Amino acid sequence: MKYKNNIMRVIAVFTMLFAFVGSSYAAKYKVGVSVPSADHGWTAGLLWWANKAAADLKAKEKDIEFYVVASSSGSKQVGDVEDLMIKGIDALVILPHNPATLQKVIEEAYDEGIYTVVVDRELAHPAQNVFIAGDNEGLGRVGAQWLAKEMSGKGNIVVIEGMQIPINKQRVDAFNDVIAGYPNIKILDSQPGDWSTQKALAVMENFLQKHPKIDAVWCQDDDMLKGVLKAIEESGRTDIKTVLGGAGSKDIIEMIQHSNKMVRATVTYSPSMIASGIALAVHGVKNEKLGYLYHEPSRVILGADLVTKENAAEYYFKDAAY
């Protein structure tokens, strides 16, 4: 239960650090949290963890008010952040739809002295107190290392990428760097699936028509993995032995626990990172020392862990949305 306990411990440690001083503050702190709408599994998990963290911290921190908003587009998110600023927020925690679209309004918040935590998608021009994210390079690297071993260093792979933004490139470049060390593994094709189950289904259907022999699929995302599996099932193909996604959704972890023949592992990129971002914002807006650290971190990168049947129970959250 090490990983599961660690996530809950991160939130618990932050709340305990703040609890003893909560009663001494007369002022009301306002923390705004802005995330994309729950348009697929991972973002549904993101919103679930944001609401959970806000509720958990609110129960401990009586002098803090949280505003959690979800937006369906980058332009809508810009408006949401402007509305939060009008409400007089003291801290902003944001996972931007698209960093380029949100760059200006995040800069405005940061320049106004709002304690700013940017989550997952890094700005081209940093404008935050803290950046927190999963390890995108690690997700690609760990996935490639495991896949190469499962394939015994030989065979054909097809790749389904995410949205064409920087974190996708980090993942794909790291994956390709590892596979380049295996001359008998060939990447037949690599196309974007935009982290969408339906688009990944269509891309995989095209791959199946185009390539007569595929040994493995890397799709870096557990939502896309579901589309890949559906395409394979509908095609009746039996040559594909391994499909690897990423992020660690509870549906995929259940498959791993139940010994699914094609899905035997995933790599973590948990939406719980938003909860840690909110905890960091509470720490920052209250100007409190973080544990025994003499300097607050400006950049936090969470590990990319390989999940297999042996450790799957540690990463399974029954009540989570993802």
Side-chain angles (χ1 to χ4, degrees):
M1 302 299 289
K2 181 180 177 183
Y3 175 82
K4 183 182 292 185
N5 290 338
N6 282 347
I7 286 182
M8 303 313 295
R9 194 175 293 123
V10 167
I11 299 172
V13 166
F14 284 129
T15 58
M16 286 189 292
L17 282 170
F18 312 144
F20 77 97
V21 295
S23 60
S24 65
Y25 286 87
K28 188 86 168 180
Y29 295 97
K30 297 179 180 180
V31 177
V33 182
S34 175
V35 298
S37 298
D39 58 358
H40 65 287
W42 195 86
T43 51
L46 192 78
L47 185 57
W48 186 88
W49 277 105
N51 284 319
K52 176 175 173 52
D56 289 349
L57 288 164
K58 177 66 176 174
K60 298 284 186 180
E61 303 296 310
K62 305 301 183 184
D63 57 347
I64 296 186
E65 187 172 358
F66 292 93
Y67 303 98
V68 178
V69 293
S71 52
S72 58
S73 68
S75 58
K76 174 66 167 59
Q77 192 172 27
V78 170
D80 285 347
V81 173
E82 290 172 342
D83 289 344
L84 289 170
M85 292 170 67
I86 290 171
K87 290 180 186 293
I89 57 171
D90 302 289
L92 172 66
V93 182
I94 182 167
L95 192 154
H97 254 281
N98 186 308
T101 304
L102 275 295
Q103 177 79 49
K104 183 178 178 181
V105 74
I106 294 174
E107 284 181 354
E108 290 173 359
Y110 180 65
D111 290 344
E112 285 189 16
I114 295 172
Y115 191 92
T116 303
V117 180
V118 174
V119 181
D120 185 46
R121 299 173 185 176
E122 198 160 12
L123 302 175
H125 306 286
Q128 73 268 334
N129 298 88
V130 184
F131 173 71
I132 181 170
D135 185 355
N136 287 288
E137 291 183 3
L139 186 147
R141 182 180 63 254
V142 172
Q145 290 168 344
W146 179 84
L147 204 52
K149 184 177 179 181
E150 290 294 299
M151 297 173 69
S152 299
K154 61 182 183 296
N156 296 330
I157 298 177
V158 292
V159 173
I160 303 181
E161 303 182 22
M163 293 174 63
Q164 299 303 290
I165 59 176
I167 64 172
N168 174 73
K169 187 176 188 304
Q170 293 167 15
R171 295 175 181 186
V172 174
D173 286 352
F175 181 87
N176 290 342
D177 286 346
V178 171
I179 297 302
Y182 294 86
N184 293 321
I185 294 179
K186 182 179 181 181
I187 297 177
L188 299 174
D189 223 325
S190 186
Q191 297 293 331
D194 295 346
W195 299 314
S196 161
T197 300
Q198 288 304 312
K199 187 163 185 181
L201 169 63
V203 172
M204 191 63 203
E205 286 173 340
N206 180 59
F207 284 168
L208 290 166
Q209 293 172 6
K210 185 177 178 181
H211 303 291
K213 181 66 168 69
I214 300 171
D215 297 291
V217 182
W218 180 61
C219 55
Q220 66 157 267
D221 174 77
D222 287 342
D223 285 326
M224 293 202 294
L225 183 147
K226 294 176 183 178
V228 169
L229 291 178
K230 185 176 180 181
I232 295 170
E233 180 183 1
E234 291 178 349
S235 74
R237 291 269 292 266
T238 59
D239 50 319
I240 301 163
K241 306 301 182 186
T242 306
V243 181
L244 179 65
S249 79
K250 69 178 185 179
D251 291 346
I252 302 308
I253 290 176
E254 285 177 355
M255 289 185 183
I256 295 168
Q257 289 176 315
H258 295 143
S259 302
N260 185 283
K261 289 184 179 180
M262 281 188 288
V263 182
R264 301 184 298 280
T266 188
V267 182
T268 61
Y269 196 85
S270 176
S272 65
M273 66 178 70
I274 194 72
S276 297
I278 294 169
L280 285 167
V282 171
H283 146 74
V285 78
K286 287 192 169 186
N287 198 28
E288 294 174 351
K289 185 177 178 181
L290 183 59
Y292 294 102
L293 294 179
Y294 286 91
H295 303 281
E296 70 172 28
S298 61
R299 188 178 183 85
V300 179
I301 303 299
L302 307 172
D305 300 332
L306 180 68
V307 181
T308 62
K309 189 173 182 179
E310 288 68 31
N311 64 351
E314 298 177 21
Y315 299 83
Y316 183 74
F317 294 87
K318 182 179 180 181
D319 296 329
Y322 179 80

